[in-house]
Amino acid sequence: QFPFGRRLPCDIYWHGVSFHDNDIFSGQVNKFPGMTEMVRKITLSRAVRTMQDLFPLEYNFYPRSWILPEEFPLFVDEVRMMKDSDPSWKPTFIVKPDGGCQGDGIYLIKDPSDIRLTGSVQSRPAVVQEYICKPLLVDKLKFDIRLYVLLKSLEPLEIYIAKDGLSRFCTEPYQEPTLKNLHQVFMHLTNYSLNIHSGNFIHSDNVNTGSKRTFSSILCRLSSRGADVKKLWSDIISLVIKTIIALTPELKVYYQSDIPAGKPGPTCFQILGFDILLMKNLKPMLLEVNANPSMRIEHEQELSPGVFENVPSPVDEEVKVAVIRDTLRLVDPQKKKRKDVQQHVESCKDTVNVRYNYVLWYRCQALEEASEAKEEAREAGAGDGGERGGSRSPEAGLPSLCLKQVFPKYARQFSYLRLVDRVAALFIRFLGVKGTTKLGPTGFRTFIRNCKLSNSNFSMASVDILYIDITRRWNSMGIDHKESGMCLQAFVEAFFCLAQKKYKSLPLHKQVASLIDFCEYHLAALDEKRLVCGRG
Ligand code: ADP
């Protein structure tokens, strides 16, 4: 541990909380810039909402949400309209403070007027969300699932999911919410940090029982009841990939700002904690994403009132050790070193050291090939972690990978959803000054001009008005006052506006796709022209 930083470069930097070090010029960092901000309740809800606008059916795994305080009037209106159109609808809502965790400040309400408006909403922004009233129960208890996901790379997108996770149980038998039981946190909230204080909490000494179990043990139970566990897994994978697709556009803006292209910098990877609730019909619903999931493998046991002791937790150990071990295997700096040696050899072929370097390189190649062959054999189900065949790869003896690659593996199925990524690429192109995350008025004008979006119906004066209107509204929401200008979400809103204007009769996602094609076409033509001029 280097609490005060360190001067010598490392292969891997394992930061505790977030990406925060601008003095790293090589190696790999276990956090992405901006991830903590991206997965806050409000930002995540906004990112998913943009995707819900484009692809409502594909993104119906996230409960309907409103952002407080600014969407309070909208919340009231929409709930009233829905109640008018369906008088039998008796909803419950859950209010969650932004940036809160471990169930902190969360409460349930039956009606928008029950929101605690006095001061707290103003001082503490929150998300209010439709409460999922019919969760799947096991042993009459509500539970949620914590799954670990490795975002190994943003460009190209690489996602892995751990094959096992944790199931965290409530400690009071579940009843659908009524005015009487709304306040019973041990019945409605699955947070470990809350339920541990319940007299009914059972520390698990194996993976199948108690208040925290492995997800695989739940799957076994479900499978024995005849549930389609394969379909459940495929729905979970789809939820994870779609959520990450919703997060990537803004992450790319943060990334280019902290680690500008063309300058020496590290690459990033990150383990994320996905909290998922299964509905009674086995549909997985996303609750939230954690940028800094707890990797503790001990739990606190209360010996006597107020006196706690840390004791090993077999369930946490089983799941979390495998996640960290396999993350390190996947980002293996030795693998990278072997590649670097190869590059080095190629760059100094004409030096006297060439013989020595080749010997080194051949050794590394042999190691790498053996390790890759073994991995492939394991993937095909042939490996057992033993040492058959005499290959002594650095990974020999390790159990098979618990992290399963899902992207780009299923890229073909999901790539059509990556529209906002392409909008973000346009945004980044026009940001101009390196290190910024907001677009100035000149950048926006250049975007309009270069993409040939202005015409007799849409003058440059209207362009300026559009820029000012949208930018002012987004900046008044008090998201980030550090920089002035148009943030990505504001640009996305302006882009959707332009798309709706230009391609009136199409559904929104087709309007947006058509406008992206149009812009990319004109920018490619411009690049070509510049290249020819440059050559000339
Ligand atoms: P925190 O970050 O404070 O843990 P969560 O969003 O994870 O906030 O919510 C805490 C708990 O509340 C969840 O673990 C879950 O049990 C419950 N919960 C959250 N949102 C919903 C919802 N929309 N429907 C039903 N239960 C929910």
Side-chain angles (χ1 to χ4, degrees):
Q1 291 189 355
F2 292 91
F4 306 110
R6 88 177 235 151
R7 275 162 190 261
L8 285 177
C10 304
D11 294 319
I12 294 185
Y13 297 83
W14 198 276
H15 287 186
V17 182
S18 61
F19 183 92
H20 57 263
D21 199 336
N22 291 328
D23 294 330
I24 299 178
F25 302 107
S26 62
Q28 304 180 72
V29 183
N30 72 328
K31 302 282 177 198
F32 279 92
M35 185 67 89
T36 312
E37 289 81 357
M38 273 317 297
V39 300
R40 285 173 76 99
K41 292 181 171 62
I42 288 184
T43 337
L44 176 71
S45 298
R46 276 212 179 97
V48 175
R49 166 107 50 95
T50 304
M51 295 309 290
Q52 286 175 329
D53 289 344
L54 290 169
F55 304 103
L57 290 181
E58 287 88 338
Y59 279 82
N60 66 6
F61 57 82
Y62 191 67
R64 209 178 340 219
S65 306
W66 296 266
I67 291 153
L68 300 178
E70 75 238 23
E71 289 179 356
F72 183 68
L74 187 71
F75 171 50
V76 174
D77 286 350
E78 288 193 357
V79 170
R80 189 176 346 103
M81 263 164 38
M82 286 187 279
K83 278 186 175 168
D84 287 349
S85 67
D86 176 10
S88 68
W89 188 54
K90 299 267 180 282
T92 303
F93 303 97
I94 181 163
V95 186
K96 315 188 209 180
D98 188 44
C101 60
Q102 305 190 330
D104 174 35
I106 291 184
Y107 60 97
L108 304 189
I109 54 170
K110 280 292 205 187
D111 192 84
S113 61
D114 299 332
I115 289 209
R116 294 172 198 161
L117 275 166
T118 44
S120 65
V121 165
Q122 293 304 327
S123 56
R124 213 172 169 192
V127 167
V128 56
Q129 197 168 71
E130 233 181 299
Y131 186 73
I132 299 155
C133 293
K134 293 187 192 302
L136 179 75
L137 304 182
V138 165
D139 299 336
K140 299 195 175 126
L141 299 169
K142 176 175 170 177
F143 67 97
D144 76 350
I145 309 161
R146 158 61 58 86
L147 278 185
Y148 296 94
V149 170
L150 170 67
L151 179 55
K152 184 167 175 273
S153 150
L154 197 54
E155 193 76 79
L157 187 58
E158 277 183 69
I159 310 170
Y160 289 75
I161 300 184
K163 291 177 190 158
D164 203 355
L166 303 170
S167 310
R168 298 159 311 178
F169 279 73
C170 277
T171 40
E172 287 282 341
Y174 184 77
Q175 288 166 9
E176 284 196 29
T178 60
L179 280 175
K180 271 200 177 148
N181 69 31
L182 278 188
H183 314 288
Q184 299 195 23
V185 288
F186 298 149
M187 177 187 287
H188 291 293
L189 307 188
T190 48
N191 300 76
Y192 163 80
S193 51
L194 293 175
N195 283 282
I196 193 163
H197 300 294
S198 151
N200 296 339
F201 191 91
I202 302 169
H203 282 296
S204 312
D205 48 17
N206 67 65
V207 295
N208 308 305
T209 57
S211 299
K212 200 193 259 183
R213 312 179 195 175
T214 57
F215 180 44
S216 53
S217 77
I218 303 291
L219 288 176
C220 271
R221 288 267 293 262
L222 294 177
S223 173
S224 68
R225 286 189 209 165
D228 188 348
V229 170
K230 248 191 168 164
K231 160 130 190 355
L232 173 58
W233 252 118
S234 126
D235 288 348
I236 289 177
I237 288 172
S238 162
L239 175 154
V240 166
I241 295 175
K242 287 173 186 171
T243 305
I244 291 194
I245 286 178
L247 298 175
T248 52
E250 227 173 318
L251 280 176
K252 285 183 183 171
V253 174
Y254 280 109
Y255 199 93
Q256 61 80 39
S257 161
D258 275 36
I259 311 172
K263 281 196 181 164
T267 54
C268 303
F269 62 94
Q270 188 153 358
I271 298 172
L272 301 168
F274 272 66
D275 291 350
I276 292 169
L277 190 70
L278 295 183
M279 298 197 353
K280 208 172 176 179
N281 61 5
L282 285 193
K283 182 180 167 58
M285 297 292 285
L286 176 69
L287 295 178
E288 72 161 352
V289 181
N290 273 278
N292 194 21
S294 159
M295 285 297 173
R296 285 190 64 168
I297 53 169
E298 293 170 326
H299 59 70
E300 275 184 353
Q301 209 154 23
E302 196 164 15
L303 297 177
S304 54
V307 182
F308 290 91
E309 185 193 45
N310 284 331
V311 293
S313 162
V315 183
D316 286 291
E317 193 165 333
E318 164 120 2
V319 173
K320 294 175 183 174
V321 169
V323 170
I324 294 195
R325 181 196 63 218
D326 290 348
T327 297
L328 291 173
R329 274 160 92 179
L330 285 169
V331 302
D332 180 6
Q334 293 306 322
K335 230 181 214 172
K336 191 167 175 297
K337 258 189 206 151
R338 291 193 283 274
K339 284 208 178 98
D340 289 349
V341 171
Q342 183 178 347
Q343 272 169 4
H344 176 64
V345 168
E346 262 150 34
S347 69
C348 61
K349 270 185 183 151
D350 51 350
T351 69
V352 285
N353 284 330
V354 73
R355 270 181 76 89
Y356 169 75
N357 277 325
Y358 266 115
V359 171
L360 198 65
W361 179 67
Y362 275 122
R363 269 201 207 149
C364 292
Q365 279 293 96
L367 267 176
E368 178 129 11
E369 275 161 22
S371 145
E372 272 163 15
K374 189 144 209 161
E375 210 49 72
E376 275 166 23
R378 277 203 196 106
E379 277 280 306
D384 60 358
E387 307 232 331
R388 266 181 277 142
S391 82
R392 300 195 60 84
S393 94
E395 302 199 345
L398 287 176
S400 63
L401 276 174
C402 81
L403 289 168
K404 172 186 160 71
Q405 196 212 65
V406 292
F407 205 95
K409 191 169 181 180
Y410 301 121
R412 250 201 277 158
Q413 216 176 311
F414 295 96
S415 286
Y416 74 99
L417 300 171
R418 303 184 69 191
L419 284 186
V420 188
D421 253 1
R422 289 167 68 196
V423 178
L426 296 172
F427 176 80
I428 291 170
R429 177 180 170 132
F430 290 97
L431 274 178
V433 187
K434 293 251 183 296
T436 53
T437 57
K438 288 192 175 173
L439 188 66
T442 315
F444 190 68
R445 278 176 144 244
T446 314
F447 152 69
I448 297 282
R449 207 176 295 121
N450 288 3
C451 294
K452 308 236 176 303
L453 293 176
S454 152
N455 53 36
S456 51
N457 289 331
F458 190 57
S459 65
M460 279 321 256
S462 336
V463 169
D464 290 340
I465 292 171
L466 181 74
Y467 176 88
I468 292 168
D469 273 358
I470 295 186
T471 303
R472 188 180 292 154
R473 195 156 36 74
W474 277 89
N475 288 348
S476 73
M477 292 181 210
I479 299 157
D480 169 14
H481 288 304
K482 274 182 273 166
E483 275 178 62
S484 64
M486 183 181 239
C487 61
L488 175 68
Q489 302 98 316
F491 182 77
V492 169
E493 187 183 323
F495 198 88
F496 285 13
C497 250
L498 295 167
Q500 281 163 321
K501 245 189 202 146
K502 199 169 167 66
Y503 303 98
K504 289 192 177 72
S505 54
L506 299 175
L508 181 64
H509 69 96
K510 289 215 169 123
Q511 293 172 331
V512 171
S514 305
L515 188 64
I516 296 172
D517 287 343
F518 184 87
C519 294
E520 288 176 350
Y521 170 80
H522 283 292
L523 292 175
L526 191 71
D527 289 344
E528 178 100 347
K529 208 163 130 193
R530 282 183 184 153
L531 203 69
V532 172
C533 288
R535 274 201 213 115

